């Protein structure tokens, strides 16, 4: 069965610093991976997704993630943090056969704090 | 931009009472989902729904839970007799298709508090 592990439930960075949020996956089949962000009092919004087309995936708001099969990782990065990036970030893997009915398996989430 | 909406944003109920959580998925989407997040825990899949049928459900989704698409726009989750442990944030999601790569769009959630 697929699963994802997010290392670090809380990450704190200074404004302008690099953001690195870690996600490792476990999957018996080629994984399809997603990063979602949740701002306070809002729903989950897709940041980016890996669909095997390219290992480096660019998303919204300057975020990107690199799929590394050898490390079973899909870490999320942003070169320069902004105060508005403060939110909770979820890594997820798609658990469904192609053409079947999909469901997402989520990690525990990482709360990102950005301080001046 | 189209979005998934959910009502109410917060529901407080007494243990043993029935609750209905409502969702309006994105209009051209065909696949619908409910997830929940107990405070401090992971977001967990509950159920997926397509063509007026449950297509998959988790172990959590027992006989106390049911889903329905009563009309062309709403998608509901009913909990027949709420327990304290049902207290959680419930998220509705929808997608156009159900391939592994299809994006699920989430609503803002309903916070259910069972007293």
């Amino acid at each position: 069965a697929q699963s994802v592990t997010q290392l670090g439930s809380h990450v704190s960075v200074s404004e302008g610093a690099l953001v690195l949020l870690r996600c490792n996956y476990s999957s018996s089949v080629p994984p399809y991976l997603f990063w979602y962000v949740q701002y306070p009092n809002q729903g989950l919004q897709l940041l980016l997704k890996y669909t095997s087309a390219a290992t480096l995936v660019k998303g919204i708001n300057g975020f990107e993630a690199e799929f590394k099969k050898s490390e079973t990782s899909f870490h999320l990065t942003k070169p320069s943090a902004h105060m508005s990036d403060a939110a909770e970030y979820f890594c997820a893997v798609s658990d469904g056969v192609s053409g079947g009915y999909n469901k997402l398996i989520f990690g525990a989430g990482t709360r990102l704090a950005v301080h001046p | 931009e189209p979005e998934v909406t959910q009502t109410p944003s917060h529901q407080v109920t007494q243990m043993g009472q029935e609750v209905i959580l409502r969702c309006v998925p994105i209009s051209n989407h065909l696949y619908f989902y409910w997830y929940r997040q107990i405070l401090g825990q992971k977001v967990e899949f509950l159920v997926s729904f397509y063509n007026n049928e449950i297509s998959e459900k988790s172990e959590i989704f027992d006989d106390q839970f049911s889903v329905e698409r009563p009309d062309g726009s709403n998608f509901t989750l009913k909990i027949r007799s709420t327990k304290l442990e049902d207290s959680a944030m419930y998220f509705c999601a929808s997608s156009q298709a159900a391939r592994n790569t299809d994006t699920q769009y989430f609503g803002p959630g309903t916070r259910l508090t069972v007293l």
Side-chain angles (χ1 to χ4, degrees):
Chain A
Q2 279 94 324
S3 66
V4 291
T5 302
Q6 292 183 244
L7 297 174
S9 58
H10 290 82
V11 170
S12 182
V13 300
S14 299
E15 193 173 18
L18 171 72
V19 175
L20 171 60
L21 305 181
R22 298 177 189 273
C23 174
N24 287 89
Y25 69 88
S26 172
S27 178
S28 56
V29 297
Y32 297 96
L33 296 157
F34 302 76
W35 275 100
Y36 280 86
V37 61
Q38 184 181 27
Y39 298 103
N41 301 315
Q42 294 188 29
L44 299 163
Q45 180 184 2
L46 182 72
L47 273 178
L48 49 81
K49 63 183 179 182
Y50 168 71
T51 60
S52 77
T55 56
L56 183 62
V57 182
K58 294 189 185 299
I60 62 170
N61 302 338
F63 284 93
E64 62 182 38
E66 187 172 7
F67 174 74
K68 291 187 177 180
K69 185 178 177 181
S70 60
E71 298 177 7
T72 61
S73 69
F74 189 57
H75 301 331
L76 182 70
T77 60
K78 182 173 180 177
S80 176
H82 192 272
M83 298 294 287
S84 61
D85 294 327
E88 185 141 23
Y89 292 79
F90 294 93
C91 182
V93 64
S94 170
D95 183 16
V97 297
S98 182
Y101 302 108
N102 198 12
K103 68 182 181 189
L104 294 173
I105 307 296
F106 284 89
T110 297
R111 187 166 295 279
L112 175 66
V114 182
H115 51 87
Chain B
E1 185 177 323
E3 58 182 20
V4 177
T5 59
Q6 290 185 244
T7 54
S9 56
H10 192 185
Q11 172 98 42
V12 181
T13 190
Q14 296 290 324
M15 191 169 56
Q17 295 296 302
E18 174 183 287
V19 295
I20 297 176
L21 310 183
R22 301 179 194 281
C23 168
V24 179
I26 294 173
S27 62
N28 64 343
H29 286 186
L30 301 176
Y31 296 83
F32 313 112
Y33 313 83
W34 284 100
Y35 293 81
R36 79 171 185 191
Q37 185 181 28
I38 294 172
L39 190 63
Q41 297 186 25
K42 294 183 181 185
V43 177
E44 304 171 286
F45 169 80
L46 290 178
V47 66
S48 57
F49 190 85
Y50 168 71
N51 199 24
N52 280 320
E53 288 184 346
I54 289 174
S55 42
E56 187 174 1
K57 60 183 180 180
S58 71
E59 293 172 355
I60 304 166
F61 195 89
D62 61 22
D63 292 343
Q64 292 299 311
F65 291 88
S66 63
V67 288
E68 192 179 34
R69 188 154 163 84
D71 52 43
S73 59
N74 288 284
F75 178 51
T76 62
L77 174 69
K78 183 195 294 187
I79 309 175
R80 254 180 279 282
S81 177
T82 50
K83 308 187 200 60
L84 295 176
E85 54 265 37
D86 294 327
S87 294
M89 182 73 93
Y90 288 81
F91 293 105
C92 173
S94 69
S95 63
Q96 271 190 320
R99 297 161 299 190
N100 306 64
T101 55
D102 285 302
T103 298
Q104 292 181 28
Y105 294 84
F106 284 77
T110 293
R111 181 165 297 287
L112 176 66
T113 302
V114 182
L115 302 176

